Amino acid sequence: MGVVGSLHGRVVHTRRVEVLARQVAAVVPSEASIVDVGCGDGYLTYLIAKRNPQAHVTGIDDEESGIRQANAMTARTGLRNLEFRHVPAGG
């Protein structure tokens, strides 16, 4: 995949995640506790937390690298209603 294909893929993925986050945020009660199982890099989880500031949102994944990315993003953004946890598969 070339540079254009890679860039296009990221843009399309980001747009899809943003649309999904908007749809989820619209139906989630304002003070809900939300768990995103298999959160990957945490971008969808972050957007849900950002759009629902009264909710508590937790992302879990079995890939430590994604959780590290997600925690770094949380630290940069300062969202206080968001956390990420590494949970090994099967446990």
Side-chain angles (χ1 to χ4, degrees):
M1 178 183 303
V3 174
V4 172
S6 178
L7 179 60
H8 173 74
R10 279 183 277 175
V11 169
V12 169
H13 171 73
T14 299
R15 178 71 181 130
R16 286 180 180 161
V17 169
E18 289 170 351
V19 168
L20 179 59
R22 212 172 24 253
Q23 292 171 340
V24 169
V27 298
V28 171
S30 63
E31 295 183 18
S33 293
I34 302 163
V35 177
D36 182 4
V37 178
C39 67
D41 66 4
Y43 187 56
L44 174 61
T45 318
Y46 158 75
L47 290 174
I48 292 170
K50 183 178 176 183
R51 288 181 166 90
N52 292 284
Q54 298 303 315
H56 180 79
V57 185
T58 303
I60 63 172
D61 203 286
D62 66 347
E63 289 289 329
E64 288 185 78
S65 61
I67 295 300
R68 279 194 299 273
Q69 276 186 283
N71 281 323
M73 177 179 50
T74 301
R76 283 191 310 272
T77 62
L79 283 180
R80 301 178 68 81
N81 64 328
L82 175 63
E83 67 176 314
F84 291 96
R85 296 183 187 174
H86 173 246
V87 177

